[in-house]
Amino acid sequence: MLSSPPLHGGLPPELHQLLRGGHRCLLVYRTPGTSAEFAVRGILLNVLRRGQVDYLQLAGGCELRLDWLVSVNGHRLAA
C-alpha cells in the first residue's frame, strides 16, 4: 500500500493517503482519561517516533500523539 519506512506500517489506513498527497485533513484527538475531544486541521508531513510513542508531524510544526487520534476527516478509527 505505502512504500515508506517501517514505522508507517502501523498507521491506520486513513492516514496512508494523507501522508503521500500533502492533503489538508481534520484530525480529532482525545486525551486519555477524559471525554473531551479537540480538533486540529493541517497537512500531514511525517510520523516521528520518540521512545515508544509515535507522533504525527503537521506542516505548521505541530506534533500530535498518534495513539490519541480518534478520527481522520470524520472517519472514526478502529479502537
Side-chain angles (χ1 to χ4, degrees), residues 54-77:
D54 295 330
Y55 293 85
L56 294 176
Q57 181 183 35
L58 303 181
C62 184
E63 295 178 7
L64 300 164
R65 285 180 64 122
L66 181 59
D67 59 341
W68 293 359
L69 186 61
V70 173
S71 71
V72 178
N73 292 336
H75 301 283
R76 299 296 263 194
L77 302 178

Side-chain angles (χ1 to χ4, degrees), residues 24-67:
R24 287 190 64 80
C25 59
L26 175 65
L27 305 170
V28 176
Y29 281 82
R30 179 180 303 129
T31 305
T34 73
S35 61
E37 293 184 351
F38 63 95
V40 176
R41 289 189 189 275
I43 297 172
L44 293 180
L45 291 182
N46 203 359
V47 178
L48 308 171
R49 176 163 281 217
R50 291 198 181 95
Q52 298 299 312
V53 179
D54 295 330
Y55 293 85
L56 294 176
Q57 181 183 35
L58 303 181
C62 184
E63 295 178 7
L64 300 164
R65 285 180 64 122
L66 181 59
D67 59 341

